Amino acid sequence: MGFVLRALRRSKPFLQSQLSRRSPNPTPLRWISSTSALSKPESSAAAEPEPVPAPERPRTPVGGARLHFASPAEAIEVFVDGYPVKIPKGMTVLQACEAAGVDIPRFCYHSRLSIAGNCRMCLVEVEKSPKPVASCAMPALPGMKIKTDTPVAKKAREGVMEFLLMNHPLDCPICDQGGECDLQDQSMAFGADRGRFTETKRSVVDKNLGPLVKTVMTRCIQCTRCVRFATEIAGVQDLGMLGRGSGEEIGTYVEKLMTSELSGNVIDICPVGALTSKPFAFKARNWELKGTESIDITDAVGSNIRIDSRGPEVMRILPRLNEDINEEWISDKTRFCYDGLKRQRLNDPMIRGPDGRFKAVTWRDALAVVAEVAHQVKPEEIVGIAGQLSDAESMIALKDFLNKMGSNNVLCEGNGPSLLADLRPNYLLNSNIAGLEKADVFLLIGTQPRVEAPMVNARIRKTVRATQAKVAYIGPTTDFNYNYDHLGSGPHTLLEIAEGRHPFCSTLLSAKHPAIIVGAGLFQRQDFLALFSAIEAIAKFGKVIKPDWNGLNLLLLNAAQSAALDLGLVSNHNESIPSAKFLYLMGADDINLEKLPDDAFVVYQGHHGDKGVYRANVILPSAAFSEKEGTYENTEGCSQWTVPAVPTVGDARDDWKIVRALSEVAGVCLPYDNIGAVRARIRMVAPNLLSVDERESSTVSVEMKPPFAEKLSLAPFRKAVDNFYMTDSITRASKIMAQCSATLSKK
Amino acid sequence: MLPAVARGAAKRLLGIRALLRPSPPIAAASASRSFSTALNYHIDSPDNNPDVPWEFSEANKEKVKEILSHYPSNYKQSAVIPLLDLAQQQHGGWLPVAAMNAVAKVIEVAPIRVYEVATFYTMFNRTKVGKYHLLVCGTTPCMIRGSREIEEALLKHLGVKRNEVTKDGLFSVGEMECMGCCVNAPMITVADYSKGSEGYTYNYYEDVTPKRVVEIVEMLRRGETPPVGTQNPDRIRSGPAGGNTTLLREPKPPPCRDLDAC
Amino acid sequence: MAAPLRHRTLPLARALLSPSRLLSSDTALVEIKPVEIGIVSGIPEEHLRRKVMIYSPARTATQQGSGKVGKWKINFLSTQKWENPLMGWTSTGDPYANVGEAALSFDSEEAAKAFAEKHGWDYVVRKRHTPLLKPKAYADNFKWKGPPKTDED
């Protein structure tokens, strides 16, 4: 923390002299005085005469931040500690300081929330201003001379800190925030070593916010970040600031649980230990944890996360910055599903004996049995199903293996019977998640983004809040956290819009950047192709696809879905399952196996003993996403990698390695034996999967696609996700998720 | 760093504070001093829970319309304070959760936004008060002129604690900060909720004495309205006792510079 | 926080200097070819062709501090660890298990790449995500909501 060092220097001139004596060239240390060589000529005349030995190095904004200039003409120049910095007009003083690489201490200010200006920690000195200025709320004006480490600023912050610490308990040794607490850090820089407050400290009753967020309200410093988060981002107006003066407290007034799917983020934004993670309480200290930067696979968004592990155990999951996908939030499912990684895991290969019980065997035996059965059935009776958590490597291995066995019945669950896998824009979120912020009209068809993809929903909500974009929805009744028009519940309304008979058509036509979002739940419908041609008709009619804007989006449900479509795992399960004699489930738990013949041999390869295991004859244990390297493509077609954070459980192996080993035992050896070679194979099928963190813009226009001449059934749309907290084998195994769905889901 | 002088000064300050510190029983009372009538969170009780039906009365619905008409239709939340006040008058001087919810519905905001306002302002009571809510001013001028004794007299006479309602539900005593009558200190305010929002009054009784407040309470109990304003018979409004001493003649015009001279 | 102190030296020199300190500067007499360091220093063969990941750790979402942001690290993708039955401590079978996280830190992507090349590691570089600063104002809290809506619905 830059300001800690600076403050230490300021408070200890002795240390400073020591430092400068040791290093012959003291320029890297920042001085309070401005650098005359770099400031404007007219101001340098007034600046101090002290010669500066070398020009200061160019400063980079805090955290490598990029500045968003609406137009170059809007730039203004301000001076932060004498260093000139160009910033867009309308930025605050605090943002100007950030652009100049100076991290201003703050509690209430958060870059993704509105500005409250109530903690006063960000006081800086501005030349010609009689008092210190709260930099978070003060607009930067051209030519402003901001001084961030003067004695005045430091004294002001020390005063603020003393007030903050007045009622703050001395809890740090038993506080879960200890070690990663902004108040702790900043009191190292600005706190006094003794208190002058002799009265008793106040105490506040703890609130019950549900099974995820633990509250110790006495620690609260009333920054109101959580209130603003709940109101602005999560869209559940439950939290508020109650009372006044020293009796002020954060709460819900009436007993109420926080029923947002994003509630876990208040744990992150709380600068003190008032809101901490309930499942993580007293489990570990943050300095014991090893962070691994990975991605989330519980939905199709691919939120960027950091998996914090201690030894062989995942301790918690935190969001990681990615402006294009999840900003800095993650959903509760992402954050708290980690305890599912430790429960109901499959450790050893197992074979179901004649008594119906599973018996642990060696890999050699298990693979031999599977290979033998696979050769006994006819090639077309072999079916492989990839699960919703499968990575691209394992899916290509499965496909190659089955193809070599002579079968082409490979599919991925959730992708439905009839598919448009030929053109990528037909199954991707073409306007990108970040691009949704440009849209001014949303038409949600058969999708409930709040439960299907909370991060996409947060984007839509952000757009609606910022620009009053209109949202229209077709589908079953559901709850949104923004205003919307419920146009209808089924294809009937869709046809009306397509034929221009619906009042919504005028809204759609007047929109500059209309965005249609189609839910992947519709893939399950028999008439999906007909539906899609109706949707395409709407897109054509509403001019949704323009040269610079593709607003026809599909919102997928599962992490594996788009990669499976890229790789061509597109068989129709309605046709293949009833005739299957050898079924290879690669983590597939949600596929309907009712029509499967009784004499079919089922191999379940996966990491959890979930639904798929009940019917399995052989179990092959594999690694979960926190234990393997894998490529996942998110719903906008951006591929990302998971990174192993912890070792696999028991005798489990990576999915693609199991398939590779099996292929060898079966005598159809796959030509790759390391992950690089698998990726080289992927390059031949879907090269886009290898350009990580990149999105290809879609250029396909509507005209190229043939219209579908299928009959549209008028059955209303159904919900794709029943229970937000339990959608896959990891979350179903999680105790925390079970608690959440018991207490938080609305019945 | 901290010189001995400063340490000495701090020690002296502590000493002075110890001298000023009142004797233990009063200290305990001042520690529990709270301005609001309730906690900053809600505890369900039979007469105060979100399921109790609550609605503005027919007459007050007209008033609600009138109040809302002061504000643009997309700024309805501006009406939160007048509406809470109206609800409080209608509900006998206090606001149950159901009333706050009703207000939130009228102004189309989340209930928590109304709770925030209602908990912030101490004149919104969130627990039961008496039909006559007596508010003793506790700010410095009144305190110096004996507001503590006044409060003590009231509490003793009514046999209640602060913010407690008498058994007959008629009276409760609370404390308020400065109500701007310092020239006639000490003073009490009587919020009269006995006649609903139509006959609601909020009267100041100034220059009170421990004896006089008891008389006022008894008059209220009998249904009379004591004369408002100063209770000192020698004074007229804020004038000095024994009649005015200044401004008895026609006021002289203010002295004015001769503007033509310059 | 030591970043500014080392900033003046050239990136290459820093790459060579920072963790191993085998050579004094970029004007060294000995020229190093890729992979050589690993061979010379007697590192076991199986660790010579390791797959590593070069990345720049993101700012911790729970905290404001940005002192460690902008550094580049090497992740050895090491998961060979287990809970030791004797004491319950974590054992590892990988000598590099704790190297990447704790010991290697580079000021730039190039330095990290050069280091990995020198050791002959097979590396991939992960994109660094940076925040986007957009103007925002306190006055937005009190922004005019526009004229009242007429009764249309």
Side-chain angles (χ1 to χ4, degrees):
Chain A
M1 274 194 145
F3 57 78
V4 177
L5 187 67
R6 284 206 301 283
L8 280 176
R9 273 212 307 278
R10 179 122 304 283
S11 60
K12 292 183 182 139
F14 145 79
L15 179 71
Q16 194 172 7
S17 62
Q18 290 283 315
L19 272 174
S20 49
R21 201 181 307 147
R22 202 169 297 160
S23 75
N25 186 359
T27 36
L29 299 175
R30 295 208 291 100
W31 301 99
I32 307 154
S33 53
S34 59
T35 314
S36 54
L38 284 172
S39 36
K40 272 187 181 169
E42 61 266 25
S43 64
S44 70
E48 82 298 331
E50 179 186 317
V52 177
E56 238 178 309
R57 68 188 174 90
R59 297 196 193 163
T60 48
V62 171
R66 295 160 284 156
L67 296 179
H68 177 84
F69 287 93
S71 69
E74 297 230 309
I76 58 168
E77 193 180 40
V78 297
F79 300 89
V80 179
D81 297 336
Y83 176 79
V85 59
K86 280 221 161 45
I87 54 161
K89 207 171 151 190
M91 270 194 167
T92 60
V93 171
L94 188 142
Q95 285 179 311
C97 293
E98 271 188 355
V102 179
D103 211 1
I104 302 287
R106 82 283 301 256
F107 293 113
C108 71
Y109 178 86
H110 191 278
S111 53
R112 280 159 224 285
L113 303 173
S114 69
I115 301 169
N118 55 6
C119 76
R120 316 311 281 186
M121 196 60 203
C122 60
L123 292 171
V124 296
E125 198 182 349
V126 173
E127 213 168 277
K128 296 204 184 82
S129 164
K131 295 186 285 181
V133 163
S135 61
C136 70
M138 180 80 174
L141 302 172
M144 211 178 221
K145 293 192 180 63
I146 303 154
K147 292 168 181 171
T148 60
D149 52 1
T150 57
V152 170
K154 177 155 198 287
K155 196 177 165 217
R157 291 176 197 167
E158 280 174 347
V160 170
M161 179 58 82
E162 191 170 356
F163 275 120
L164 287 175
L165 293 179
M166 198 167 89
N167 272 322
H168 193 81
L170 301 170
D171 260 1
C172 303
I174 55 149
C175 176
D176 262 315
Q177 193 87 350
E180 51 176 351
C181 174
D182 279 345
L183 189 68
Q184 226 178 9
D185 279 0
Q186 296 181 20
S187 65
M188 292 301 288
F190 302 107
D193 57 353
R194 67 207 65 197
R196 289 186 286 177
F197 183 70
T198 52
E199 284 78 6
T200 47
K201 294 197 180 218
R202 84 185 177 136
S203 59
V204 182
V205 174
D206 294 344
K207 312 293 184 296
N208 179 13
L209 294 182
L212 301 177
V213 183
K214 181 189 162 192
T215 62
V216 184
M217 296 315 282
T218 307
R219 295 177 190 148
C220 178
I221 57 166
Q222 279 80 36
C223 70
T224 68
R225 274 186 190 179
C226 51
V227 177
R228 280 174 285 147
F229 177 84
T231 315
E232 291 160 18
I233 311 286
V236 285
Q237 299 208 24
D238 286 343
L239 286 176
M241 180 71 124
L242 304 164
R244 68 189 298 165
S246 63
E248 201 166 42
E249 57 186 87
I250 300 286
T252 51
Y253 194 66
V254 290
E255 177 95 24
K256 206 169 194 180
L257 305 182
M258 203 171 168
T259 54
S260 166
E261 68 286 352
L262 299 174
S263 64
N265 292 301
V266 298
I267 298 164
D268 288 348
I269 59 170
C270 185
V272 295
L275 305 176
T276 50
S277 167
K278 212 173 238 178
F280 182 63
F282 310 127
K283 289 281 191 305
R285 283 302 196 178
N286 77 306
W287 57 84
E288 306 169 324
L289 302 175
K290 176 177 177 288
T292 309
E293 305 204 335
S294 186
I295 60 148
D296 164 56
I297 57 157
T298 54
D299 56 28
V301 176
S303 305
N304 286 211
I305 55 168
R306 198 183 81 190
I307 301 176
D308 277 355
S309 55
R310 186 178 60 185
E313 199 181 354
V314 176
M315 297 307 293
R316 64 170 178 184
I317 288 174
L318 292 178
R320 179 162 62 91
L321 177 96
N322 189 336
E323 292 281 0
D324 295 328
I325 297 176
N326 58 327
E327 301 184 85
E328 223 166 347
W329 316 123
I330 48 172
S331 71
D332 285 353
K333 186 163 60 171
T334 308
R335 184 185 300 264
F336 294 109
C337 70
Y338 61 86
D339 75 324
L341 292 168
K342 304 167 205 165
R343 303 178 74 246
Q344 296 200 335
R345 288 298 296 268
L346 300 174
N347 287 334
D348 298 299
M350 282 184 270
I351 298 177
R352 197 192 285 275
D355 57 346
R357 290 176 162 276
F358 280 113
K359 212 177 108 217
V361 294
T362 60
W363 272 105
R364 189 182 297 272
D365 295 344
L367 291 179
V369 168
V370 174
E372 199 189 326
V373 178
H375 277 297
Q376 281 166 1
V377 297
K378 280 186 232 152
E380 59 270 20
E381 289 168 350
I382 299 177
V383 177
I385 302 177
Q388 49 172 297
L389 306 179
S390 307
D391 52 26
E393 285 83 2
S394 56
M395 285 193 286
I396 190 77
L398 181 70
K399 185 168 194 289
D400 283 352
F401 169 60
L402 261 65
N403 286 354
K404 284 205 168 189
M405 294 295 291
S407 159
N408 198 23
N409 293 326
V410 201
L411 59 120
C412 177
E413 64 176 346
N415 274 350
S418 41
L419 276 172
L420 298 158
D422 295 337
L423 293 169
R424 284 185 88 222
N426 278 353
Y427 54 84
L428 293 182
L429 195 83
N430 295 309
S431 36
N432 293 346
I433 296 172
L436 288 177
E437 281 182 39
K438 261 204 299 190
D440 44 8
V441 168
F442 292 93
L443 175 60
L444 310 177
I445 301 173
T447 179
Q448 298 88 36
R450 197 170 173 192
V451 288
E452 289 174 18
M455 293 333 301
V456 172
N457 193 54
R459 254 341 144 136
I460 300 175
R461 181 176 156 79
K462 188 180 174 190
T463 313
V464 170
R465 261 184 71 86
T467 64
Q468 268 77 48
K470 287 198 176 65
V471 180
Y473 167 68
I474 304 174
T477 42
T478 178
D479 58 333
F480 282 85
N481 48 11
Y482 36 83
N483 287 333
Y484 71 105
D485 290 326
H486 196 169
L487 302 181
S489 61
H492 183 67
T493 324
L494 216 56
L495 284 177
E496 274 186 1
I497 301 173
E499 289 161 12
R501 290 185 280 127
H502 200 277
F504 176 71
C505 294
S506 58
T507 322
L508 189 65
L509 281 173
S510 64
K512 252 193 197 151
H513 297 291
I516 298 178
I517 302 179
V518 184
L522 302 186
F523 286 173
Q524 303 301 335
R525 286 173 70 103
Q526 294 297 331
D527 60 343
F528 175 68
L529 293 181
L531 260 182
F532 197 74
S533 69
I535 292 164
E536 277 192 329
I538 296 176
K540 204 168 169 186
F541 161 81
K543 299 193 181 57
V544 171
I545 302 173
K546 300 173 186 180
D548 59 334
W549 171 256
N550 188 346
L552 182 55
N553 300 305
L554 268 98
L555 181 58
L556 300 178
L557 286 169
N558 308 329
Q561 238 169 341
S562 56
L565 290 164
D566 272 1
L567 295 170
L569 276 72
V570 288
S571 306
N572 184 342
H573 65 84
N574 288 345
E575 289 162 17
S576 50
I577 288 184
S579 60
K581 287 278 150 57
F582 176 87
L583 182 62
Y584 198 94
L585 298 175
M586 195 172 70
D589 294 302
D590 293 289
I591 202 95
N592 189 354
L593 296 179
E594 274 170 22
K595 287 193 188 135
L596 188 72
D598 288 338
D599 58 341
F601 185 81
V602 178
V603 180
Y604 182 82
Q605 170 190 329
H607 39 77
H608 276 81
D610 202 50
K611 289 179 197 166
V613 167
Y614 294 121
R615 181 64 184 78
N617 297 80
V618 174
I619 292 175
L620 306 174
S622 69
F625 77 102
S626 55
E627 298 148 11
K628 68 178 172 190
E629 232 186 318
T631 308
Y632 288 88
E633 188 182 9
N634 78 352
T635 183
E636 48 174 354
C638 169
S639 54
Q640 303 182 94
W641 284 341
T642 55
V643 178
V646 290
T648 48
V649 174
D651 217 5
R653 297 284 187 274
D654 284 4
D655 282 297
W656 74 266
K657 285 180 184 163
I658 299 171
V659 179
R660 162 71 180 70
L662 178 61
S663 73
E664 195 172 341
V665 177
V668 286
C669 192
L670 294 174
Y672 29 77
D673 38 48
N674 61 40
I675 200 155
V678 183
R679 285 186 180 149
R681 166 72 185 137
I682 290 176
R683 188 183 299 280
M684 291 157 70
V685 182
N688 56 286
L689 282 173
L690 294 179
S691 44
V692 172
D693 276 335
E694 275 166 38
R695 296 159 181 82
E696 280 170 32
S697 61
S698 62
T699 50
V700 186
S701 63
V702 184
E703 280 75 32
M704 287 172 65
K705 297 167 196 161
F708 304 106
E710 262 188 63
K711 260 189 97 180
L712 192 64
S713 86
L714 290 179
F717 301 144
R718 279 184 299 158
K719 282 191 182 182
V721 174
D722 285 330
N723 181 354
F724 163 67
Y725 295 103
M726 292 181 145
T727 49
D728 49 60
S729 57
I730 298 176
T731 48
R732 275 193 291 260
S734 160
K735 224 173 181 171
I736 306 168
M737 290 294 107
Q739 273 174 13
C740 286
S741 49
T743 53
L744 297 182
S745 335
K746 292 198 183 94
K747 297 279 142 48
Chain B
M1 188 73 199
L2 197 73
V5 189
R7 237 175 321 177
K11 208 175 264 174
R12 250 198 330 276
L13 192 72
L14 277 178
I16 293 166
R17 205 180 288 172
L19 275 180
L20 286 177
R21 199 173 290 156
S23 51
I26 304 174
S30 70
S32 69
R33 181 175 126 140
S34 85
F35 301 121
S36 153
T37 55
L39 302 162
N40 283 334
Y41 52 92
H42 167 79
I43 296 170
D44 277 351
S45 65
D47 58 347
N48 185 9
N49 67 63
D51 301 327
V52 173
W54 198 97
E55 235 182 299
F56 281 108
S57 64
E58 285 308 315
N60 281 346
K61 272 189 184 149
E62 289 304 308
K63 278 193 193 165
V64 169
K65 244 183 223 158
E66 204 272 325
I67 291 168
L68 285 177
S69 72
H70 296 191
Y71 308 101
S73 61
N74 52 346
Y75 278 89
K76 273 187 185 164
Q77 71 266 41
S78 308
V80 61
I81 292 178
L83 290 184
L84 279 174
D85 185 33
L86 188 66
Q88 172 161 299
Q89 292 166 21
Q90 182 186 320
H91 199 77
W94 68 290
L95 287 167
V97 171
M100 292 190 249
N101 289 345
V103 169
K105 213 170 190 181
V106 170
I107 59 175
E108 291 160 17
V109 296
I112 185 73
R113 299 280 96 86
V114 177
Y115 304 151
E116 281 180 327
V117 173
T119 52
F120 183 84
Y121 292 102
T122 52
M123 282 165 76
F124 291 129
N125 307 314
R126 283 165 295 112
T127 49
K128 228 174 210 169
V129 294
K131 281 192 173 151
Y132 299 96
H133 190 44
L134 313 172
L135 294 157
V136 183
C137 175
T139 312
T140 321
C142 285
M143 195 196 77
I144 293 171
R145 298 275 292 143
S147 68
R148 294 270 163 91
E149 287 78 42
I150 305 247
E151 195 187 354
E152 235 164 76
L154 277 175
L155 295 178
K156 205 176 149 201
H157 178 70
L158 296 169
V160 288
K161 293 199 199 87
R162 186 190 285 170
N163 293 332
E164 205 180 63
V165 188
T166 52
K167 283 212 184 75
D168 53 2
L170 270 183
F171 293 99
S172 59
V173 181
E175 186 183 309
M176 281 286 263
E177 290 311 296
C178 186
M179 288 184 269
C181 280
C182 312
V183 71
N184 289 358
M187 63 88 67
I188 64 164
T189 304
V190 176
D192 176 4
Y193 298 107
S194 59
K195 299 177 213 58
S197 54
E198 290 77 28
Y200 168 70
T201 57
Y202 190 78
N203 288 332
Y204 284 14
Y205 297 92
E206 299 144 16
D207 274 326
V208 287
T209 56
K211 198 170 137 239
R212 180 63 188 160
V213 283
V214 172
E215 282 169 27
I216 290 172
V217 165
E218 285 311 311
M219 283 167 87
L220 290 170
R221 202 193 288 280
R222 291 194 296 272
E224 298 165 24
T225 312
V228 298
T230 180
Q231 303 297 313
N232 184 344
D234 295 343
R235 294 181 71 176
I236 306 162
R237 295 197 183 85
S238 311
N244 291 353
T245 55
T246 55
L247 297 177
L248 296 172
R249 283 168 291 142
E250 192 67 20
K252 270 196 288 183
C256 191
R257 205 152 47 99
D258 186 5
L259 288 173
D260 297 331
C262 41
Chain C
M1 260 175 247
L5 294 170
R6 269 198 271 154
H7 194 82
R8 305 206 143 258
T9 45
L10 290 166
L12 179 65
R14 240 183 303 124
L16 299 173
L17 258 177
S18 47
S20 60
R21 291 182 197 277
L22 276 177
L23 303 163
S24 57
S25 74
D26 53 338
T27 55
L29 295 170
V30 189
E31 196 188 319
I32 312 171
K33 292 195 192 87
V35 197
E36 272 187 356
I37 289 266
I39 297 166
V40 171
S41 52
I43 294 168
E45 196 126 341
E46 67 264 31
H47 294 299
L48 281 180
R49 294 287 307 165
R50 277 191 81 115
K51 231 164 68 61
V52 298
M53 195 182 76
I54 295 171
Y55 73 108
S56 179
R59 189 183 70 92
T60 316
T62 54
Q63 270 190 291
Q64 177 202 341
S66 55
K68 290 179 183 167
V69 177
K71 295 269 182 285
W72 288 81
K73 294 219 160 231
I74 293 182
N75 183 341
F76 287 88
L77 305 175
S78 152
T79 56
Q80 294 178 34
K81 46 191 161 184
W82 61 90
E83 204 163 273
N84 197 307
L86 179 65
M87 295 296 284
W89 294 339
T90 304
S91 302
T92 177
D94 181 1
Y96 280 113
N98 299 311
V99 174
E101 178 97 333
L104 295 179
S105 178
F106 303 91
D107 282 351
S108 70
E109 188 185 329
E110 285 70 37
K113 277 185 187 166
F115 187 80
E117 270 162 23
K118 202 175 62 176
H119 282 261
W121 293 328
D122 184 11
Y123 64 85
V124 283
V125 182
R126 294 281 292 265
K127 188 178 154 192
R128 178 185 171 200
H129 291 283
T130 50
L132 187 63
L133 274 186
K134 279 185 182 169
K136 58 193 240 177
Y138 182 60
D140 290 349
N141 293 339
F142 313 103
K143 217 162 47 184
W144 186 48
K145 287 189 205 162
K149 267 181 223 145
T150 45
D151 293 332
E152 52 188 358
D153 37 33

